[in-house]
Amino acid sequence: MFAPELRHKLSILYKHSLLTTASAAKRVGTHDGTFHCDEALACFILRLTNNFSNAQIVRTRDPQVLNSLDAVLDVGGVYDPYRYRFDHHQNGFDQVFGHGFTTKLSSAGLVYKHFGLEIIAKELQLDEGHQDVYRLFVAVYKNFVEVADLFSELAYFKY
């Protein structure tokens, strides 16, 4: 179908594309050991975004490894959405979802707060500013994500 030299060039281009895609995959860290609902949900939510859709999940508490990752959830003692750091365990943490909610956010709530609009807009194929996207964003938090935040808060006070 293609001339031999073109087939060879296409083959090289295809292999390069596969290697580039594989090496460009993001890596998301969360703690090792027993998993909890909040970081499992946070990983799932983050992988629904365009930026982290093929992300590899790395389970560790090693600070050097965590610092090398593209995003870190529920470990590391840092909440900094601009650096994709979503931990809620530090002293004085008091982030809430807003929009009338007062439940402290877990890692799931933090990730949803920052990426929920993007995910819902993508799924509905609407602009993030569309009123239906906003309504669903709040409804999904109220009826699903907030439960993970509540369980995380209850587990924290248990110990």
Side-chain angles (χ1 to χ4, degrees):
M1 182 167 157
F2 292 112
E5 66 275 358
L6 182 57
R7 252 196 326 261
H8 179 69
K9 287 180 181 178
L10 288 173
S11 171
I12 291 171
L13 181 62
Y14 177 72
K15 288 176 186 172
H16 175 71
S17 174
L18 288 177
L19 290 173
T20 303
T21 302
S23 65
K26 303 280 184 167
R27 296 184 330 138
V28 175
T30 190
H31 59 78
D32 55 4
T34 304
F35 73 90
H36 306 115
C37 175
D38 67 313
E39 83 270 357
L41 181 56
C43 289
F44 177 79
I45 293 170
L46 195 61
R47 290 187 75 199
L48 292 174
T49 67
N50 290 329
N51 198 23
F52 290 96
S53 63
N54 293 317
Q56 172 191 5
I57 306 300
V58 177
R59 299 193 67 210
T60 184
R61 292 181 189 271
D62 183 328
Q64 288 183 314
V65 174
L66 293 172
N67 286 334
S68 73
L69 301 174
D70 299 294
V72 177
L73 314 173
D74 206 42
V75 67
V78 175
Y79 168 54
D80 183 353
Y82 300 105
R83 291 183 23 223
Y84 302 113
R85 298 311 193 244
F86 299 98
D87 193 9
H88 64 110
H89 294 105
Q90 57 275 32
N91 288 332
F93 181 85
D94 61 356
Q95 292 292 311
V96 296
F97 185 68
H99 313 283
F101 295 93
T102 59
T103 305
K104 282 187 187 176
L105 297 178
S106 68
S107 58
L110 287 170
V111 170
Y112 184 75
K113 178 178 181 174
H114 292 283
F115 297 102
L117 282 172
E118 172 195 332
I119 293 164
I120 291 170
K122 180 176 76 170
E123 293 300 317
L124 296 179
Q125 298 180 351
L126 295 171
D127 183 71
E128 284 187 34
H130 193 282
Q131 65 183 3
D132 290 343
V133 171
Y134 174 77
R135 279 191 272 215
L136 193 53
F137 172 64
V138 173
V140 168
Y141 181 77
K142 178 181 180 182
N143 294 292
F144 183 63
V145 179
E146 186 180 28
V147 174
D149 292 342
L150 288 167
F151 278 122
S152 179
E153 194 172 333
L154 290 173
Y156 180 75
F157 287 116
K158 181 179 172 183
Y159 301 105

